[in-house]
């Protein structure tokens, strides 16, 4: 290689040169062996270099007009060569049983030019064909060894610096690339949220956040993923916000290779969809042309940074090799189309540019390519020997995020609180229902913690459907009480993205049934982030959801959903369900503490039927109301604490939410019969603190589980197993809702436990 030509500085270690050797063959659709697609493309590239047959263009643009210097172009091209060799090596390792990932970036190396156009402070949410982007961004941060890091990831080594060997993900904490596992663009909503948070931080004058004031956010995806409802919601949300003047410094990078696994994208579809889309600025470039890719990326970055508006950067790419290692695209694509794509190989075009400009000769390119492959092969031999995860405990250790030191909360003075609450202050020493108590608790929390942002449909001036967010908008303004559009995926994505930038979001979903429109934002995005980043990235939040049954005047299934299973089986998520106003206030404060200090994702389900409930036994008894206890007053309720009413030993009723309210009514009927019972309020349904629950049951001889959720898949199943395993000798029974949807009107409670059915089940158990 010519003296003075840049070498790829991050390469280290060394072993068996695989740059020009034959990689394994694979079976074609007719069952016969064919040359591996990666090897075929590799050989065509080397043959073109050897023969000097590079795809030159008489009208090729001058790279200097795009601001692309020789040094920059050479660096980008070397990153692209490295990415290609990484792809080949990943397949080689898998064939040997030493690697576990072969969705490659070949044909998408144009995203290295995007990395060159951005700053490290611009957060990047990338899809799985982004090796070249990460390799090139690493050049901007001294001391990085991206190829070694990626090879550890290929080999699923526990020393993989991003996931700790749990998954092959594009990501790096030093490079500001949160890891994604998404294949369907489910990461786009949180990119919208992260971009939106930059403007909010500026309005609030918040400093020291992960993203500086002039940062932009990048999110990349394929043309097939652009059709997914999650992606469409993200485009719509970004455009909707920008259309109204809200800052949204965001680049949507669509790497359009014209196919999703085996389904072709209609020619012109992406451009037709996005060129004139409201709120989005459309830019097109060719990812196979280094100059075009760089110019397009620079234009997009400049527009997003200058105007704080979203850009749709449509980058034409090709997909070489097929979808993944086992995919033989000859089974579903004509040979002519495959060859046409291979002719658009960005490495061929890049080599032509380097040769035309006199920056590298074909022989020097071949030598550089071979050197990179040889060095990577040596690295790989060292990487496959590094330690692996060997225990279940090690796998799970990053499910729960690490605790962190947080700034001390603001301690508002009595005068500050009085000024904020105004006329409400005079009502705080009078018993109130749950909805009002929660509203005041939210206000106190927002006063104490500037980073809290409440967001959701109608949470602003209206105060929410049930008035729980009443007056928050008036007290804290639209930067901290955000009225969102009607899209649950957008609401949750907004929260996840804002948490990436140091905010503590408290999103609201209006009804429990609505969360199913967006549950993957919790399951596949929020809850997995700590796991797949080895605890380096987190998105703490408190998700408030109005839900559960027992409504009569305004109900039906879509407002009376009685299933919590969607949350209970997500590792790491905390599920809280209060049953009364006093507990709700204390538990909400604990939820915020868990999110702030322990970085947890917390779901706080508020029983709608108990929002306005005042009485327990008779009209006017006021037993289900409480005075408001200001912060610092009253006993805290810590994560896992259960509530216990009574100390009877004949029977322990274990329940939560509406079930606790009804069980308290049944307990009075049982007491009239001489039954000494205790009623236990779980409060925290996921995960349950088994030791505290067993201790609360104590020496009660019988256990009745009362579950307002459906009998199949409800928490009662797990509770039955828990008590069988941990309380041998006790008689155990359960009552739960029927496996039915909930109807409207007077029939709304027929499938649910009631005071009388709980009483009857208890009597049967006692008999």
């Amino acid at each position: 290689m010519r003296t003075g030509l840049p070498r790829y500085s991050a390469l280290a270690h060394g072993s068996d040169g695989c740059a020009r050797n034959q990689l394994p063959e694979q079976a074609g659709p007719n069952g016969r062996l064919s040359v591996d697609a990666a090897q075929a493309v590799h050989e065509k590239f080397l043959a073109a270099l050897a023969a000097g047959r590079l795809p030159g263009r008489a009208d090729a643009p001058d790279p200097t007009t795009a601001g692309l210097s020789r040094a920059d172009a050479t660096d980008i091209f070397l990153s692209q060569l490295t990415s290609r060799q990484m792809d080949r090596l990943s397949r080689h390792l898998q064939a040997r049983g030493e690697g576990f990932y072969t969705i490659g970036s070949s044909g998408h190396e144009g995203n290295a030019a995007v990395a060159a156009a951005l700053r490290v402070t611009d957060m990047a949410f990338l899809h799985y064909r982004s090796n070249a982007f990460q390799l090139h961004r690493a050049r901007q941060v001294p001391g990085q060894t991206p190829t070694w890091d990626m090879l550890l990831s290929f080999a699923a080594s526990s020393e993989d610096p991003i996931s700790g060997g749990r998954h092959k993900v594009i990501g790096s904490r030093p490079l500001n690339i949160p890891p994604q596992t998404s294949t369907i663009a489910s990461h786009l909503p949180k990119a919208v949220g992260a971009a939106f948070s930059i403007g909010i931080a500026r309005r609030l004058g918040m400093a020291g956040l992960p993203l500086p004031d002039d940062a932009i956010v990048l999110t990349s995806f394929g043309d097939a993923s652009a059709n997914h409802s999650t992606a469409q919601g993200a485009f719509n949300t970004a455009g909707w916000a920008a259309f109204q003047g809200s800052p949204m410094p965001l680049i949507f990078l669509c790497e359009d290779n014209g196919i999703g696994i085996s389904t072709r994208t209609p020619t012109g579809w992406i451009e037709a969809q996005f060129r004139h889309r409201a709120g989005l600025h459309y830019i097109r470039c060719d990812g196979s042309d280094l100059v075009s890719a760089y110019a397009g990326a620079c234009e997009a970055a400049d527009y997003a940074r200058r105007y704080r508006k979203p850009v749709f950067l449509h980058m034409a790419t090709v997909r070489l090799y097929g979808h993944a290692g086992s995919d033989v695209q000859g089974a579903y694509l004509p040979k002519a189309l495959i060859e046409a794509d291979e002719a658009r190989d960005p490495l061929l075009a890049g080599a032509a540019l380097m040769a035309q400009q006199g920056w590298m000769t074909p022989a020097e390119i071949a030598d550089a390519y071979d050197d990179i492959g040889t060095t990577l092969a040596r690295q790989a031999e060292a990487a496959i020997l590094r330690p692996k995860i060997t225990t279940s405990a090690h796998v799970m250790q990053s499910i729960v995020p690490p605790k962190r030191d947080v700034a001390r909360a603001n301690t508002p003075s009595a005068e500050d609180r009085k000024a904020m609450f105004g006329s409400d202050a005079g009502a705080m020493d009078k018993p109130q229902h749950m909805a009002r108590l929660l509203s005041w608790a939210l206000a106190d929390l927002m006063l104490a913690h500037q980073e809290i942002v409440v967001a959701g449909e109608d949470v602003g001036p209206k105060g929410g459907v049930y008035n729980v967010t009443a007056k928050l908008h008036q007290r804290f303004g639209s930067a901290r009480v955000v009225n969102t559009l009607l899209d649950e995926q957008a609401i949750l994505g907004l929260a996840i993205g804002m948490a990436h930038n140091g905010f503590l979001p408290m999103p609201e979903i209006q009804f429990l049934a609505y969360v199913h429109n967006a549950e993957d934002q919790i399951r596949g995005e929020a809850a997995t982030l700590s796991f797949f980043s080895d605890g380096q990235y987190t998105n703490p939040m408190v998700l408030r959801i109005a839900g559960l049954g027992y409504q009569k005047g305004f109900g039906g299934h879509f407002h009376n959903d009685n299933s919590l299973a969607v949350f209970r089986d997500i590792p790491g998520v905390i599920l809280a369900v209060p049953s009364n106003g006093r507990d709700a206030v204390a538990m909400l404060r604990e939820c915020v503490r868990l999110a702030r200090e322990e970085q947890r994702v917390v779901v706080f389900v508020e029983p709608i039927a108990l929002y306005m409930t005042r009485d327990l036994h008779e009209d006017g008894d006021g037993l289900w109301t409480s005075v408001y206890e200001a912060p610092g007053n009253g006993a805290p309720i810590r994560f896992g604490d259960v509530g216990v009413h009574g100390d009877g030993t004949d029977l322990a009723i274990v329940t939560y939410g509406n079930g606790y309210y009804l069980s308290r009514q049944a307990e009075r009927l049982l007491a009239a019969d001489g039954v000494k019972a205790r009623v236990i309020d779980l409060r925290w349904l996921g995960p349950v603190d088994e030791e505290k629950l067993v201790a609360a049951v104590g020496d009660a001889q019988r256990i009745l589980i009362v579950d307002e959720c459906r009998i199949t898949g409800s928490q009662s199943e797990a509770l039955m197993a828990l008590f069988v395993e941990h309380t041998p000798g006790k008689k155990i029974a359960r009552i739960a809702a029927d496996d039915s949807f909930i109807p409207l009107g007077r029939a709304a409670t027929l499938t649910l436990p009631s005071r009388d059915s709980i009483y009857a089940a208890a009597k049967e158990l006692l008999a």
Side-chain angles (χ1 to χ4, degrees):
M1 183 175 287
R2 183 168 57 211
T3 303
L5 198 65
R7 297 294 296 269
Y8 196 78
S9 60
L11 299 179
H13 307 283
S15 172
D16 85 71
C18 82
R20 296 183 181 176
N21 61 340
Q22 293 290 320
L23 293 184
E25 296 178 322
Q26 64 182 25
N30 56 10
R32 293 178 298 180
L33 288 177
S34 59
V35 175
D36 179 88
Q39 184 69 10
V41 172
H42 163 73
E43 291 176 355
K44 286 183 179 180
F45 178 57
L46 291 178
L49 291 174
R53 296 193 311 270
L54 297 173
R57 288 171 46 191
D59 62 342
D62 182 351
T64 60
T65 62
L68 192 60
S69 67
R70 172 181 178 172
D72 289 341
T74 305
D75 281 350
I76 294 171
F77 185 57
L78 290 174
S79 293
Q80 292 178 323
L81 294 177
T82 305
S83 178
R84 179 65 56 84
Q85 292 286 35
M86 293 289 290
D87 278 0
R88 297 186 61 247
L89 188 54
S90 72
R91 290 169 175 248
H92 184 48
L93 292 174
Q94 187 186 52
R96 292 172 51 189
E98 300 286 3
F100 309 94
Y101 187 85
T102 59
I103 298 181
S105 301
S106 293
H108 285 248
E109 289 91 352
N111 56 44
V114 181
L118 300 179
R119 305 170 184 169
V120 173
T121 51
D122 298 329
M123 186 170 281
F125 297 90
L126 305 175
H127 80 327
Y128 48 70
R129 299 196 191 277
S130 302
N131 276 9
F133 182 100
Q134 180 160 324
L135 289 167
H136 196 71
R137 175 167 277 196
R139 290 175 174 270
Q140 301 178 38
V141 181
Q144 295 299 298
T145 55
T147 55
W148 174 244
D149 297 346
M150 286 184 179
L151 286 169
L152 290 172
S153 185
F154 288 171
S157 168
S158 59
E159 294 178 348
D160 162 28
I162 186 60
S163 78
R166 293 173 180 84
H167 200 280
K168 167 60 187 76
V169 287
I170 302 293
S172 168
R173 183 70 186 185
L175 302 182
N176 206 14
I177 305 174
Q180 313 304 317
T181 60
S182 167
T183 60
I184 54 168
S186 61
H187 57 293
L188 268 63
K190 63 183 178 184
V192 174
F196 182 74
S197 74
I198 298 171
I200 296 297
R202 181 180 291 185
R203 284 181 61 184
L204 296 175
M206 298 176 68
L209 298 182
L211 298 177
D213 282 354
D214 63 348
I216 60 178
V217 174
L218 172 77
T219 182
S220 63
F221 50 94
D223 50 289
S225 293
N227 298 304
H228 198 276
S229 63
T230 312
Q232 290 290 324
F235 304 141
N236 185 65
T237 303
W240 184 81
F243 189 79
Q244 300 175 85
S246 296
M248 186 62 67
L250 174 64
I251 297 175
F252 289 111
L253 172 59
C254 180
E255 299 184 25
D256 182 359
N257 59 30
I259 194 168
I261 304 184
S262 67
T263 302
R264 296 289 296 171
T265 297
T267 301
W269 172 250
I270 296 298
E271 182 169 359
Q273 285 285 300
F274 294 99
R275 178 173 282 280
H276 301 294
R277 189 153 182 162
L280 294 183
H281 180 67
Y282 177 89
I283 297 172
R284 182 179 175 86
C285 66
D286 184 357
S288 294
D289 182 324
L290 194 156
V291 176
S292 175
Y294 182 74
C298 287
E299 182 184 353
D302 180 69
Y303 184 92
R305 207 179 308 277
R306 182 191 303 265
Y307 298 108
R308 319 305 290 170
K309 291 184 178 181
V311 178
F312 190 93
L313 178 58
H314 184 194
M315 177 180 283
T317 63
V318 292
R319 188 191 74 184
L320 305 176
Y321 309 172
H323 177 67
S326 60
D327 180 34
V328 181
Q329 59 183 356
Y332 51 83
L333 292 179
K335 181 179 179 181
L337 182 58
I338 294 173
E339 290 178 343
D341 280 351
E342 289 177 352
R344 292 176 54 213
D345 184 346
L347 263 59
L348 287 172
L353 171 70
M354 303 305 287
Q356 288 166 359
Q357 296 296 319
W359 294 342
M360 292 179 75
T361 67
E364 289 170 338
I365 294 170
D367 286 345
Y369 185 64
D370 193 40
D371 286 350
I372 289 168
T374 300
T375 307
L376 286 174
R378 289 198 301 267
Q379 285 187 316
E381 295 307 311
I384 62 179
L385 299 177
R386 302 310 301 160
K388 306 293 194 294
I389 295 176
T390 57
T391 67
S392 173
H394 191 175
V395 170
M396 297 170 60
Q397 72 181 13
S398 63
I399 289 176
V400 175
K403 296 181 180 180
R404 63 178 175 180
D405 294 328
V406 293
R408 184 174 180 178
N410 175 41
T411 304
S413 65
E415 291 74 19
D416 289 340
R417 293 186 68 247
K418 185 176 181 180
M420 178 184 70
F421 282 115
S423 60
D424 285 350
M428 289 181 175
D429 59 352
K430 300 178 179 62
Q432 305 290 342
H433 54 62
M434 183 193 293
R436 184 162 297 153
L437 294 172
L438 280 172
S439 180
W440 292 340
L442 284 167
D444 261 327
L445 286 165
M446 294 183 73
L447 188 62
H449 307 292
Q450 185 191 15
E451 71 271 26
I452 290 179
V453 171
V454 170
E457 184 189 350
D458 299 318
V459 298
K462 177 178 171 58
V465 175
Y466 296 99
N467 223 34
V468 177
T469 58
K471 300 183 181 179
L472 292 183
H473 186 270
Q474 170 188 332
R475 289 165 175 156
F476 298 101
S478 59
R480 297 188 63 197
V481 184
V482 182
N483 258 349
T484 67
L485 71 175
L486 199 162
D487 180 359
E488 284 73 27
Q489 291 184 116
I491 294 169
L492 295 179
L494 176 73
I496 298 170
M498 294 195 77
H500 271 287
N501 196 25
F503 285 89
L504 178 57
M506 296 185 72
E508 175 184 295
I509 302 296
Q510 276 190 354
F511 293 99
L512 179 59
Y514 296 177
V515 81
H516 301 294
N517 299 326
E519 62 187 61
D520 186 56
Q521 288 296 300
I522 306 170
R523 178 185 302 277
E525 295 296 337
T528 63
L529 185 60
S530 177
F531 181 72
F532 286 121
S533 69
D534 204 19
Q536 297 171 83
Y537 280 100
T538 60
N539 36 219
M541 68 179 69
V542 179
L543 169 58
R544 295 179 43 253
I545 305 175
L548 300 173
Y550 297 96
Q551 295 183 80
K552 297 178 183 178
F554 178 59
H557 166 65
F558 293 104
H559 304 99
N560 267 332
D561 188 8
N562 62 327
S563 174
L564 299 172
V566 66
F567 308 116
R568 291 179 53 253
D569 74 341
I570 305 177
V573 168
I574 293 173
L575 175 60
V577 183
S579 65
N580 61 85
R582 186 187 299 273
D583 282 8
V585 169
M587 290 172 67
L588 186 62
R589 290 171 179 161
E590 174 67 357
C591 290
V592 169
R593 187 198 68 79
L594 288 165
R596 287 188 77 240
E597 298 178 11
E598 301 187 19
Q599 307 192 84
R600 303 299 296 269
V601 175
V602 186
V603 178
F604 189 75
V605 176
E606 301 163 9
I608 297 171
L610 298 175
Y611 269 148
M612 311 299 176
T613 298
R614 291 181 170 275
D615 306 321
L616 177 60
H617 298 300
E618 288 89 25
D619 289 346
D621 66 20
L623 293 177
W624 222 248
T625 60
S626 305
V627 298
Y628 180 68
E629 295 174 330
N633 296 338
I637 296 177
R638 296 304 183 196
F639 176 39
D641 287 353
V642 298
V644 182
H645 172 78
D647 57 3
T649 58
D650 294 336
L651 174 69
I653 302 176
V654 178
T655 184
Y656 63 93
N658 292 289
Y660 180 69
Y661 175 77
L662 296 170
S663 295
R664 287 284 302 275
Q665 294 177 334
E667 182 261 344
R668 190 172 79 157
L669 298 180
L670 292 167
D673 293 343
V675 176
K676 297 177 181 178
R678 67 184 68 182
V679 184
I680 299 170
D681 186 356
L682 288 169
R683 293 173 173 161
W684 308 93
L685 273 61
V688 171
D689 190 315
E690 296 182 354
E691 291 186 4
K692 288 182 178 179
L693 180 55
V694 170
V697 169
D699 55 356
Q701 300 170 22
R702 301 167 185 82
I703 302 171
L704 176 63
I705 299 165
V706 175
D707 194 338
E708 63 183 285
C709 288
R710 297 190 285 274
I711 195 165
T712 300
S714 67
Q715 35 282 335
S716 66
E717 294 178 332
L719 291 170
M720 288 288 288
L722 185 156
F723 288 124
V724 167
E725 293 171 357
H726 295 284
T727 60
K730 294 185 186 293
K731 294 181 65 177
I732 307 167
R734 66 169 169 157
I735 177 173
D738 295 331
D739 286 337
S740 171
F741 300 113
I742 295 177
L744 190 64
R746 293 185 177 88
T749 60
L750 295 180
T751 64
L752 305 174
S754 66
R755 179 199 67 179
D756 293 341
S757 66
I758 296 169
Y759 171 79
K763 295 291 284 186
E764 183 177 348
L765 180 60
L766 288 161

